Amino acid sequence: MAQTIVCINNAGMIMQFWIEWVNDDGTQGWTQANSGDYPVDQRRSLDMDALNSQGESIPPGRLVRPHVQAVAGASIAGDRYITYTPGSGTAIYDVTGTSFNYSVTLIQS
């Protein structure tokens, strides 16, 4: 359970991420807002409560995960979903590798 998702960039690339979730019918939803580009050795967070107050529509109780885009590289989703629970804590994902060969691993939820 988490309200906020953090991605730590420990990869040799510039990246950004969005939040994706699973709808009741199995399709995926995506936030329009993203973290913005950031380099290695930095972290960014997206607070789903704050995003919803700014017009996003992430349904509470949904399975969510970050979806990372390497600048001039691949696009990869986090390895595990967490449940979006307003008023709860932070899920942290570690991003390691290089632009076309990297992983997004949940390390704390």
Side-chain angles (χ1 to χ4, degrees), residues 6-42:
V6 171
C7 283
I8 304 169
N9 185 353
N10 284 315
M13 63 188 189
I14 297 172
M15 60 170 267
Q16 61 182 282
F17 75 94
W18 291 261
I19 295 174
E20 70 174 56
W21 65 87
V22 179
N23 291 309
D24 288 337
D25 63 3
T27 60
Q28 291 180 324
W30 298 75
T31 57
Q32 290 186 7
N34 66 55
S35 64
D37 291 349
Y38 62 106
V40 67
D41 294 330
Q42 290 189 16

Side-chain angles (χ1 to χ4, degrees), residues 45-66:
S45 63
L46 290 174
D47 180 314
M48 291 173 273
D49 284 358
L51 291 173
N52 281 342
S53 70
Q54 297 167 6
E56 296 284 356
S57 56
I58 308 165
R62 297 285 188 218
L63 295 176
V64 297
R65 65 183 176 181

Side-chain angles (χ1 to χ4, degrees), residues 1-5 47-48 82-83 85-91 108-109:
M1 298 187 303
Q3 172 182 312
T4 302
I5 291 179
D47 180 314
M48 291 173 273
I82 52 103
T83 303
T85 306
S88 62
T90 300
Q108 177 182 319
S109 64

